Amino acid sequence: MLDIIIRSALDVVGRTERLVEAIRRLLQSDDLDEVEVYELDYEIERLGDVVCNVDEAVRSLARTVECWPQTVFAHEIRRTLH
């Protein structure tokens, strides 16, 4: 189940990064007025920050999940020794 959550979250991060790049190209096309450009630029920055935080959190979750079997094994050894 956690594998599905991690893969799905990383997929969302990738899609969002592609969306941000597409919007940046749109901003450079000069089809928008100054207010629209400013608003889009501001939202891109906010979205980029959120995606970066989500990416970091998901990768941290993935590392934690990878360590769980080692943690359980180490805990069982300590319980056995005491």
Side-chain angles (χ1 to χ4, degrees):
M1 180 68 172
L2 284 174
D3 290 347
I4 294 170
I5 292 170
I6 291 168
R7 277 186 266 132
S8 297
L10 290 175
D11 183 48
V12 168
V13 167
R15 289 174 185 232
T16 304
E17 288 172 340
R18 289 190 297 275
L19 177 61
V20 166
E21 289 305 314
I23 292 171
R24 284 194 174 132
R25 285 192 301 274
L26 177 64
L27 287 173
Q28 294 171 356
S29 71
D30 294 331
D31 291 339
L32 304 170
D33 67 25
E34 282 187 39
V35 173
E36 291 171 323
V37 168
Y38 176 78
E39 290 173 351
L40 276 175
D41 190 48
Y42 177 73
E43 291 302 322
I44 287 171
E45 291 303 316
R46 289 182 60 204
L47 185 57
D49 293 343
V50 169
V51 167
C52 182
N53 291 336
V54 169
D55 184 53
E56 187 176 319
V58 169
R59 291 182 190 282
S60 176
L61 176 62
R63 286 189 300 272
T64 301
V65 169
E66 289 172 357
C67 293
W68 281 355
Q70 297 166 356
T71 304
V72 170
F73 180 70
H75 177 69
E76 289 298 313
I77 289 174
R78 275 188 260 123
R79 267 183 69 199
T80 304
L81 294 176
H82 288 109

